[in-house]
Amino acid sequence: MTMTILRIIIDLLIAVGVIFALAGTIGVMKMPDTFCRMQASTCITTLGVLGVGLGALLYTIFVMGSAATAVKVCVICGLVLVTNPVGAHAIAKGAYQAGIRPRKKMEIEDYRRDFNE
Amino acid sequence: MRKTTFAGVVSTFVVCYVFWILLTWSLDSQELIYGAVVSLAVALFSSRFFIHEKASWFFNPVKLINGIVFWLFIFPVELIKANVDVAKRCFTGCKNVNPGIVKIPVDLKSMYGQAALANAITLTPGTITMEITEEEGQTYYYVHWIDARLPGGQEAGEAIKGRLERGLRRVWE
């Protein structure tokens, strides 16, 4: 009985992760400009990865019973969470400096005022 | 370039060794000795890139507990709220976005704190830190915000990072 409840919880966590990954993917396809697409992709790397990772963590601890694998799942989640923002800073800044501007007119343009024109 | 300090080497060594034990997951004496040698070599070479300020920060229990509370309770709540918000925008056709780059003041002094806050802002969907500048002693972040309803400044900063900054201030200051 507890096993069934546990499997349901694991499946729910993985389903939540997949739903957020789907939302992020739709956003990457349909958002109007580069920066908004990056915003949508953050959905995949945070709750998408965390949901699936948490489900996998519970699975490795209670179903597989292997602590070493559980630690490795934790390390995977941690590394994704630590490296993702670094890449996001670099890509956003690089896109801006390469001359990519939002297609819609930006509402507030502090960055352009201080750095370019 | 920074000097290699003893405290920096020790703290880097401890972090590397804990990771080694976690990854190998065995208390075999051979594994432990190999791990110590490798961790010491890594600490000697890399501590000057890794440790920028007080090296013993990690071993202060109050700040460690505050950090754990932040990364396990305060931050995930913000993360889930922002995720639901962006996912809603994505599922409703990506039309109701209002993007803009705003400039917000940040009061954290420590370099680690500023880096952690920038990463936390980037990790919450809907906001990406693009640049950190300093003007007249005050640190400013340039943040790309998917819902730029405020024209930057203190109020926008409160809306973007208010809770995150208060949580991080307990950890790093």
Side-chain angles (χ1 to χ4, degrees), chain B residues 137-156:
Chain B
Q138 172 78 47
T139 311
Y140 290 98
Y141 286 4
Y142 287 95
V143 176
H144 182 272
W145 193 9
I146 204 169
D147 177 27
R149 54 182 183 270
L150 296 166
Q154 203 74 45
E155 288 172 30

Side-chain angles (χ1 to χ4, degrees), chain B residues 66-79:
Chain B
N66 273 337
I68 290 171
V69 167
F70 176 77
W71 290 111
L72 284 189
F73 298 105
I74 301 175
F75 180 63
V77 172
E78 297 293 306
L79 192 67

Side-chain angles (χ1 to χ4, degrees), chain A residues 8-24:
Chain A
I8 289 173
I9 292 173
I10 292 171
D11 290 351
L12 274 180
L13 280 171
I14 292 180
V16 167
V18 170
I19 286 171
F20 278 101
L22 177 68

Side-chain angles (χ1 to χ4, degrees), chain A residues 19-20 22-24 26-28 30-33 35-36 38-40 42-48 50 67-68 71-72 75 80-82 84-86 88-89 92-93 96-97 102 104-115, chain B residues 19 22-25 75 79-80 82-84 86-91 93-104 115 118-120 122-131 133 135 142 144-146 148-153:
Chain A
I19 286 171
F20 278 101
L22 177 68
I26 291 174
V28 169
K30 291 189 68 182
M31 281 286 181
D33 62 58
F35 299 105
C36 292
M38 289 185 56
Q39 305 279 21
T42 321
C43 255
I44 306 173
T45 45
T46 54
L47 263 199
L50 275 185
V71 169
K72 286 181 183 94
V75 170
V80 169
L81 287 187
V82 169
N84 165 52
V86 180
H89 299 313
K93 203 172 149 185
Y96 195 90
Q97 286 180 348
K104 274 173 34 176
K105 176 120 173 58
M106 264 197 254
E107 304 286 319
I108 299 143
E109 299 189 318
D110 281 335
Y111 198 63
R112 183 177 294 182
R113 187 188 69 212
D114 282 9
F115 276 86
Chain B
F19 260 91
L22 283 179
L23 280 180
T24 56
W25 202 256
F75 180 63
L79 192 67
I80 289 170
N83 256 302
V84 170
V86 172
K88 242 187 249 165
R89 285 168 205 270
C90 289
F91 279 134
C94 304
K95 291 291 181 284
N96 53 345
V97 293
N98 182 19
I101 297 175
V102 297
K103 181 180 183 182
I104 56 175
N119 282 358
T122 309
L123 266 181
T124 48
T127 46
I128 291 180
T129 317
M130 292 176 71
E131 180 90 76
T133 53
E135 287 170 16
Y142 287 95
H144 182 272
W145 193 9
I146 204 169
R149 54 182 183 270
L150 296 166

Side-chain angles (χ1 to χ4, degrees), chain B residues 5-144:
Chain B
T5 59
F6 180 69
V9 172
V10 170
S11 50
T12 315
F13 171 78
V14 171
V15 171
C16 290
Y17 202 29
V18 167
F19 260 91
W20 173 278
I21 292 172
L22 283 179
L23 280 180
T24 56
W25 202 256
S26 75
L27 290 176
D28 201 27
S29 64
Q30 211 173 8
E31 298 267 11
L32 290 184
I33 294 168
Y34 276 142
V37 172
V38 173
S39 309
L40 189 62
V42 168
L44 280 176
F45 282 112
S46 68
S47 68
R48 60 183 169 174
F49 307 110
F50 195 58
I51 305 292
H52 286 239
E53 284 169 15
K54 263 177 59 190
S56 56
W57 169 84
F58 204 59
F59 305 116
N60 181 339
V62 176
K63 296 193 168 179
L64 197 59
I65 289 171
N66 273 337
I68 290 171
V69 167
F70 176 77
W71 290 111
L72 284 189
F73 298 105
I74 301 175
F75 180 63
V77 172
E78 297 293 306
L79 192 67
I80 289 170
K81 275 196 288 191
N83 256 302
V84 170
D85 181 54
V86 172
K88 242 187 249 165
R89 285 168 205 270
C90 289
F91 279 134
T92 52
C94 304
K95 291 291 181 284
N96 53 345
V97 293
N98 182 19
I101 297 175
V102 297
K103 181 180 183 182
I104 56 175
V106 172
D107 297 325
L108 290 171
K109 293 282 176 288
S110 126
M111 275 169 71
Y112 286 131
Q114 288 179 9
L117 181 59
N119 282 358
I121 289 174
T122 309
L123 266 181
T124 48
T127 46
I128 291 180
T129 317
M130 292 176 71
E131 180 90 76
I132 301 179
T133 53
E134 199 175 333
E135 287 170 16
E136 296 157 3
Q138 172 78 47
T139 311
Y140 290 98
Y141 286 4
Y142 287 95
V143 176
H144 182 272

